[in-house]
Amino acid sequence: MNIHEYQAKELLEKFGAATTRGKVASTSEEAEKIAREIGADELVVKAQVHAGGRGKGTFTNGFKGGVHVVKTPLEAREIASKMLGQTLVTHQTGPAGRVVNKVLVAASADIAREVYFAVLLDRATAAPLVVASTEGGVEIEAVAEKSPEKITREPIHPLAGMQPFQTRKLAKQLGFSSAQLKPAARLFSALYRTFIDSDCSMVEVNPLVLTKQGEVLALDAKFNFDDNALYRHPEIAAMRDTAEEDAREVEASKHELNYIGLDGNIACLVNGAGLAMATMDIIKFYGGSPANFLDVGGSATEEQVTEAFKILIADRRVEAILVNIFGGIAKCDVIAQGIIDAGKTVHLTVPLVVRLEGTNVEAGKKLLAESGLAVITADDLADAAEKAVQAAKEKMNEKGPS
């Protein structure tokens, strides 16, 4: 789950991480009021969407930039009026863009220097890892590619946590002076505490800045949370903004389906994450393009399979559906009955390719054969992928050029 910048700011403040003063506004009038309350000589107005590159983005109404520095409350109101309710397109949103429903109005920092600081979960060691760089304000991937020597990695013991010597060491490596070591170390500790206590998989601050007044502040933070731990944090779960998420993924989450939407035209329904990845790979191998990752899990019910089909059919780009089931805990006859129920509930307008193997496979095949559904059966995974790709091509040819 991702959260907005203004929500990240609230979390940082909760754990004592130094940041700039600011509040979120839903109307231009609110933006003006907040600007007056802050009373700074210089303010920044930021569009709140789940995407990077906002400063270089363009609104569909022609207004340039999702981040603007202003001098007065009236300017804050004017800028907010040009952003709110409008669609912002950045390199991360894709051409469809994202509608801006809120803006963050905050005091502008008088920046002397920028650095990058992140706490993340290192999968290789199953422990926290701090990644930092003197190249703040730049995407860390670009730094890793062009100047890998400028990236510092500091492993953190999962039981001992971040130690004072590590915060001082990081501050020195990032070029903070003796006078700045204490506020820098304090901020690093607060960020680590935020990471641990909020069950995050990543807390990224870019940029983390040193102001000309000697303050060390977290300006812009991005959070990723462990979804499996959200039950412990109802206040964080309440921050979820489904308007910023793929509608297909939102619907899938309601039925406990592991779904990620993609841009292809062959929908996949598979049980098991590894098998789902293999299915997507082999579709690509045979020249097709998967429309989604969908793992119905090892204990899928008939109801879940039916709901999964509804989600797949709702995607207008889908030209064929490939069901690939290896029955173990999820038995083939249960999946088959789910497919049949879905066929009765949802009007299938695209070819359906089904490959079943494993527990109760013969019973599953018998159910499908007697169902009256137009099912293209497959013997193995390669056969299923070939048939799905061919069926999708034929469906596209039927429709003709768009």
Side-chain angles (χ1 to χ4, degrees):
M1 189 188 89
N2 295 318
I3 60 175
H4 286 290
E5 181 185 0
Y6 76 90
Q7 295 167 322
K9 181 181 284 291
E10 291 170 2
L11 267 181
L12 292 177
E13 291 172 348
K14 174 183 175 182
F15 288 95
T19 185
T20 54
R21 292 173 296 142
K23 289 183 180 179
V24 69
S26 301
T27 66
S28 56
E29 292 79 11
E30 284 181 351
E32 180 184 359
K33 181 182 177 182
I34 293 167
R36 293 190 187 281
E37 289 174 357
I38 294 172
D41 294 333
E42 198 169 74
L43 302 138
V44 62
V45 181
K46 293 184 171 184
Q48 297 298 282
V49 294
H50 287 175
R54 291 171 295 168
K56 296 179 181 178
T58 302
F59 289 87
T60 50
N61 63 359
F63 185 58
K64 300 286 186 181
V67 178
H68 284 263
V69 175
V70 299
K71 300 286 187 182
T72 68
L74 287 176
E75 281 186 73
R77 175 176 180 150
E78 181 184 355
I79 294 296
S81 69
K82 293 178 180 178
M83 293 183 180
L84 289 167
Q86 301 298 322
T87 301
L88 177 63
V89 180
T90 79
H91 70 281
Q92 287 191 11
T93 65
R98 297 276 175 83
V99 176
V100 177
N101 294 310
K102 296 179 186 293
V103 295
L104 172 65
V105 182
S108 179
D110 193 5
I111 300 171
R113 197 163 65 85
E114 300 181 350
V115 302
Y116 174 95
F117 189 94
V119 188
L120 50 85
L121 181 63
D122 182 8
R123 302 291 178 183
T125 62
L129 174 72
V130 171
V131 177
S133 173
T134 54
E135 302 298 299
V138 180
E139 291 184 0
I140 196 65
E141 294 83 2
V143 179
E145 182 180 348
K146 297 176 182 178
S147 308
E149 73 282 357
K150 294 182 179 180
I151 296 178
T152 296
R153 293 173 174 84
E154 181 69 22
I156 308 297
H157 193 283
L159 296 180
M162 181 180 276
Q163 297 298 302
F165 81 87
Q166 291 178 298
T167 60
R168 291 193 298 270
K169 174 184 172 184
L170 285 163
K172 289 178 181 177
Q173 289 174 328
L174 292 172
F176 288 100
S177 69
S178 298
Q180 298 153 4
L181 287 183
K182 187 175 288 186
R186 189 161 50 243
L187 178 54
F188 298 163
S189 295
L191 292 173
Y192 181 76
R193 195 161 55 249
T194 305
F195 173 85
I196 293 296
D197 290 356
S198 301
D199 282 311
C200 298
S201 54
M202 184 192 74
V203 175
E204 179 189 65
V205 179
N206 190 24
L208 185 151
V209 304
L210 170 68
T211 70
K212 292 178 181 177
Q213 293 75 33
E215 297 175 295
V216 184
L217 305 173
L219 272 202
D220 189 359
K222 289 186 176 67
F223 284 69
N224 283 335
F225 299 93
D226 181 353
D227 290 347
N228 294 318
L230 281 176
Y231 73 94
R232 292 199 289 246
H233 306 280
E235 75 287 354
I236 292 176
M239 293 179 175
R240 183 182 182 188
D241 186 352
T242 55
E244 289 287 316
E245 300 177 26
D246 188 314
R248 299 170 295 177
E249 295 177 14
V250 173
E251 185 61 27
S253 69
K254 295 177 183 177
H255 307 286
E256 298 183 353
L257 296 168
N258 299 309
Y259 179 100
I260 298 173
L262 302 172
D263 296 327
N265 65 352
I266 298 177
C268 309
L269 189 156
V270 190
N271 67 322
L275 187 59
M277 295 297 290
T279 302
M280 293 163 62
D281 286 345
I282 202 165
I283 286 173
K284 293 289 287 185
F285 179 79
Y286 283 105
S289 181
N292 63 274
F293 168 98
L294 173 55
D295 169 21
V296 296
S299 55
T301 64
E302 293 175 16
E303 291 77 16
Q304 283 179 306
V305 175
T306 300
E307 294 302 329
F309 263 91
K310 290 179 182 178
I311 293 166
L312 300 181
I313 292 298
D315 188 342
R316 295 180 179 273
R317 287 170 292 198
V318 168
E319 305 289 355
I321 298 174
L322 170 55
V323 176
N324 182 24
I325 299 298
F326 188 85
I329 299 173
K331 297 178 177 60
C332 291
D333 56 336
V334 173
I335 299 294
Q337 188 59 54
I339 294 170
I340 294 166
D341 291 344
K344 294 176 180 177
T345 305
V346 181
H347 179 54
L348 285 174
T349 58
V350 297
L352 173 63
V353 180
V354 179
R355 179 253 183 172
L356 296 177
E357 194 58 71
T359 307
N360 294 354
V361 63
E362 295 304 325
K365 289 180 177 179
K366 185 172 184 293
L367 283 170
L368 289 175
E370 297 173 352
S371 68
L373 288 177
V375 177
I376 303 170
T377 58
D379 298 323
D380 53 38
L381 182 50
D383 183 40
E386 280 191 281
K387 286 178 176 176
V389 171
Q390 183 60 35
K393 288 180 180 177
E394 291 174 0
K395 184 67 177 178
M396 289 180 69
N397 290 336
E398 283 178 21
K399 293 166 70 174
S402 56

